């Protein structure tokens, strides 16, 4: 048995969906611990592509139980859409999907405020507009509406009235948007409760029982460590904790129950939205990474910013998450590059920085020191053994291991589930 956390080690979009899907073959429970419908896992069902935002991709394996934990903020529309998509495609979720009754709900005003704030801000974060920030603000303000509140219409109505008394003023006065009606929202959310009632449970107890029974449990984060509200490039971050600690608070699983933390790392870097990105390439090489890697957001379709792999940022991520093993994804995107660069250090005013800068002003102006490695310039398609990789690809991987102290335990060489090298 094992309890493993899967974290994104960069700015999200590292390919966690494929790794979780692959690891789900050995898992009995997969639990998502934070974020909401801002995340997107692209999956292929019967040759057709779908994007799951909330339900862990483990749902594609018939005998895996999937949990949406207390740390997740749930958008009813997105969730119902996903349930329908899965059911329409013959994937049965009955008895396999469990939603925490402690999870907070995304309300219509969260999405409206998210979009309005971004539009009116002189310094937009570049959010996904899914209401994530405003929902977590309400959670911290202790006015959030949780799944458990759906069970009692009177409580739901009372909480909604309190919220709308404030939100409608904000919407009207600050953003010139029409206010919302309590009854309409109550009716919609009561209907939502009827549809998801059978999935609601105390997921903390469910997970503790699974761990006690010796089951293999995967704890899945969304986004990435550098978008973490505490440890990321604040304020250009998401509003939750994608780092491994978030798995404990977002699921009620104690740190002592966790065996391993696996960091999913893309062979280069991408970022969607605004914020510092020291290795960003605003040139033809960056364009090429975007084109070959199909780097467009799964949730918003926005082009992702692309750049070389950033070891100082990765080392920070290894430290904060306690990563011992990496799953290295999209190595094949680098196939045709004659040279591949690795950022190995940052300097400010000619002086090497010892720490990953805490402020965006410094991070934006660091001078990046690169090491250049020769590319392999051949296809990696179909390679499933580490030793079958071209020498230069192995040298790239081994240099990453040397510079980070973490082991590359998995290497993904194409989007296909099968095209993955697993090293013991
Ligand atoms: P929010 O999470 O929608 O509030 O957006 C905050 C920041 O996190 C923005 O820069 C988003 O682009 C980024 N972000 C949120 N979710 C994801 C994701 O799943 N992948 C990559 N970036 C994300």
């Amino acid at each position: 048995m094992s309890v493993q956390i899967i974290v994104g080690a960069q700015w999200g979009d590292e390919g966690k969906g494929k790794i979780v899907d692959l690891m789900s073959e050995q898992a009995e429970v997969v639990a998502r611990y934070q974020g909401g419908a801002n995340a997107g896992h692209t999956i292929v069902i019967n040759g057709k592509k779908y994007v799951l935002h909330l339900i862990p991709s483990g749902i594609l394996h018939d005998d895996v139980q999937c949990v949406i934990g207390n740390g997740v903020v749930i958008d009813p529309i997105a969730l119902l859409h996903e349930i329908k998509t899965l059911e329409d495609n013959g994937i049965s979720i009955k008895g396999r999907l469990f939603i925490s009754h402690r999870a907070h709900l995304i309300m219509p005003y969260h999405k409206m405020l998210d979009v309005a704030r971004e539009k009116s801000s002189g310094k937009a974060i570049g959010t996904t507009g899914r209401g994530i920030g405003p929902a977590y603000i309400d959670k911290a303000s202790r006015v959030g509406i949780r799944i458990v509140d759906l069970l009692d219409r009177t409580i739901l109505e009372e909480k909604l009235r309190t919220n709308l008394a404030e939100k409608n003023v904000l919407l009207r006065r600050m953003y010139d948007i029409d206010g919302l009606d309590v009854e309409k929202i109550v009716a919609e959310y009561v209907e939502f409760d009827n549809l998801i009632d059978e999935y609601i449970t105390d997921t903390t107890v469910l997970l503790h029982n699974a761990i006690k029974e010796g089951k293999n449990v995967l704890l899945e984060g969304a986004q990435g460590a550098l978008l973490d509200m505490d440890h990321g490039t604040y304020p250009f971050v998401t509003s939750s904790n994608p780092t491994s600690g978030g798995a404990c608070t977002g699921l009620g699983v104690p740190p002592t129950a966790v065996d391993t933390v696996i960091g999913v790392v893309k062979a280069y870097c991408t970022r969607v939205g605004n914020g510092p990105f020291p290795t960003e390439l605003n040139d033809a090489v960056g364009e090429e990474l975007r084109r070959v890697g199909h780097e467009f957001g799964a949730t918003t379709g926005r082009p992702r910013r692309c750049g070389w792999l950033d070891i100082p940022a990765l080392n920070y991520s290894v430290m904060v998450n306690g990563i011992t093993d990496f799953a290295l994804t999209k190595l094949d995107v680098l196939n045709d590059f004659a040279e591949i660069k690795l950022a190995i250090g940052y300097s400010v005013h000619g002086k090497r920085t010892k720490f990953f800068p805490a402020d965006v002003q410094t991070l934006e102006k660091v001078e990046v020191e690169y090491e250049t490695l020769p590319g392999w310039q051949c296809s990696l398609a179909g390679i499933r053994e580490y030793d079958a990789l071209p020498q230069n690809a192995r040298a790239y991987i081994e240099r990453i291991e040397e510079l980070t102290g973490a082991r590359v335990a998995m290497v993904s060489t194409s989007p296909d589930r099968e095209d993955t090298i697993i090293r013991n």
Side-chain angles (χ1 to χ4, degrees), residues 218-239:
L218 290 185
L219 313 182
E220 177 192 359
Q223 290 88 41
L226 301 173
L227 287 173
D228 186 283
M229 187 174 51
D230 286 272
H231 304 289
T233 51
Y234 192 90
F236 297 97
V237 292
T238 192
S239 311

Side-chain angles (χ1 to χ4, degrees), residues 198-326:
E198 62 185 298
Y199 307 113
I200 301 173
T201 190
D202 190 324
T203 52
T204 305
V205 171
L206 182 145
L207 284 164
H208 277 255
N209 286 340
I211 294 169
K212 227 187 292 169
E213 286 163 24
K215 291 186 172 163
N216 283 326
V217 179
L218 290 185
L219 313 182
E220 177 192 359
Q223 290 88 41
L226 301 173
L227 287 173
D228 186 283
M229 187 174 51
D230 286 272
H231 304 289
T233 51
Y234 192 90
F236 297 97
V237 292
T238 192
S239 311
S240 62
N241 293 114
T243 45
S244 54
C248 299
T249 51
L251 291 166
V253 169
T256 45
V258 178
D259 297 295
T260 335
V261 181
I262 297 173
V264 184
V265 185
K266 204 182 291 199
Y268 49 97
C269 277
T270 61
R271 173 165 203 164
V272 216
N274 302 330
F277 183 175
T279 64
E280 182 171 14
L281 292 161
N282 289 308
D283 59 10
V285 180
E287 277 293 327
E288 191 61 1
L289 285 171
R290 186 176 309 115
R291 187 187 66 77
V292 182
H294 308 290
E295 296 295 355
F296 295 88
T299 300
T300 57
R302 289 180 289 179
R304 295 179 185 140
R305 300 156 64 192
C306 299
W308 296 118
L309 187 60
D310 184 336
I311 297 293
L314 195 54
N315 274 334
Y316 174 65
S317 187
V318 166
M319 175 179 80
V320 169
N321 287 299
I323 293 169
T324 50
D325 295 89
F326 286 137

Side-chain angles (χ1 to χ4, degrees), residues 82-230:
E82 282 174 38
I83 292 175
K84 185 168 180 326
T85 302
L86 292 167
E87 282 177 345
D88 286 353
N89 283 280
I91 295 161
S92 167
I93 57 166
K94 297 218 182 295
R96 298 209 294 127
L97 177 65
F98 303 91
I99 301 170
S100 169
H101 56 193
R102 291 188 175 90
H104 283 243
L105 284 159
I106 299 266
M107 306 302 290
Y109 44 82
H110 291 142
K111 291 190 212 172
M112 292 161 79
L113 287 170
D114 193 2
V115 175
R117 276 186 188 139
E118 283 280 279
K119 265 197 200 148
S120 68
S121 160
K123 272 207 161 194
I125 304 295
T127 72
T128 57
R130 299 296 190 269
I132 308 299
Y136 280 114
I137 289 174
D138 280 357
K139 178 175 178 175
S141 298
R142 286 141 305 166
V143 294
I145 298 180
R146 301 189 298 165
I147 293 276
V148 70
D149 299 324
L150 295 174
L151 305 177
D152 186 325
R153 195 184 171 117
T154 319
I155 292 181
L156 175 65
E157 205 169 311
E158 201 181 291
K159 292 197 172 182
L160 203 48
R161 268 186 210 291
T162 312
N163 268 286
L164 282 185
E166 184 198 30
K167 265 60 171 198
N168 278 346
V169 174
L170 256 181
L171 288 170
R172 287 191 191 117
R173 299 244 177 105
M174 286 238 5
Y175 304 114
D176 204 17
I177 298 173
D178 287 345
L180 297 168
D181 177 57
V182 174
E183 274 74 33
K184 189 165 171 281
I185 303 179
V186 169
E188 277 168 15
Y189 278 69
V190 165
E191 171 63 8
F192 169 60
D193 176 50
N194 291 335
L195 296 168
I196 63 152
D197 194 53
E198 62 185 298
Y199 307 113
I200 301 173
T201 190
D202 190 324
T203 52
T204 305
V205 171
L206 182 145
L207 284 164
H208 277 255
N209 286 340
I211 294 169
K212 227 187 292 169
E213 286 163 24
K215 291 186 172 163
N216 283 326
V217 179
L218 290 185
L219 313 182
E220 177 192 359
Q223 290 88 41
L226 301 173
L227 287 173
D228 186 283
M229 187 174 51
D230 286 272

